[in-house]
Structures are given as structure tokens and as C-alpha cells.
Amino acid sequence: MTTTPPSPLALVDLFASALHVGPGGVVRAGERRMADGASDAWQVAAFHAESDADVHADHWETHPEADEAVCCLTGGVRLHLGSVRPGGPEDTVLLRPGTAVIVPRGRRHRLELDAPSDLMSITLRAGTRLERRTAPDEGSTRH
């Protein structure tokens, strides 16, 4: 009887690629897709951010197909959530190391750094949209 040796486990650099969790629980490493994802796979992505430019602070992001978990691993970040009603206040959540917030499906959000940070996001990228922020929002509420 011949046995096939198990395939070697692949080490994945989460700061260079992402994990894609597809139908049936299949997990694969692949390219990080931060917008316009067409796949039905969930993406787990970690990234290091040194400045607001690294987290597209000047853009609102929206995931129409699923909630998103935004996790702060190191550093500190402010997650701004767009108003739920026209003209209403923006909400701001302060994330510190070891904390996360779940952004509801379809809710506009953006990040601003308080310090260089390691972050992780978990979401279904399908339909993700980025929209340039045209003016500072007023009436922020901090949590």
C-alpha cells in the first residue's frame, strides 16, 4: 500500500496577502482586494498603516453585501461612521489595541489614525464602493 505524504502547510504573510473564505469553508491565500470585489468569498486582511493616506481617510467606504469587522491590533484609530439619516451626526468609535467594531452592512465608514497601527478587516468585498469625501462632516459623536 502506497501512502501520499500530506502537502506542506503554507505560511501566509497577512501583511502581503489576504485570506479568502469561500463557499463550503474553503480558505485560500490570495491578493488583497480593498474595493470592487466581485468574489463571493469573505476576505480577512491585515495591514500596517503609518498615515491617514494608508487608510484612505479622505474616502468613505461602503460594503453593501455584508457587515465588516474592523480590528485594531496595535496603535490606535478612529472609525467614523456616516450618518444613518440625511443631515444627522456622524458617529466616531475609538479603537485601541485588541478592540474591534462591527460596521453594519451598507453603512459608510472611514478611518483616521491616532498612531501608526496594525489593523485587520473581515468582510465580503463584493460590491464594495469608495466615495471621495468632499467636505469635513460636522456634529461628530464620540463613543
Side-chain angles (χ1 to χ4, degrees), residues 24-54:
V26 175
V27 179
R28 302 205 188 288
E31 178 184 359
R32 292 182 350 175
R33 289 178 241 129
M34 300 316 283
D36 298 324
S39 171
D40 61 350
W42 283 74
Q43 177 176 268
V44 178
F47 52 98
H48 181 75
E50 287 285 331
S51 72
D52 284 344
D54 296 331

Side-chain angles (χ1 to χ4, degrees), residues 8 11 15 40 56 74 91 127 130 137-138:
L11 185 62
F15 291 101
D40 61 350
H56 59 77
T74 66
D91 292 315
L130 287 176
D137 295 298
E138 298 178 9

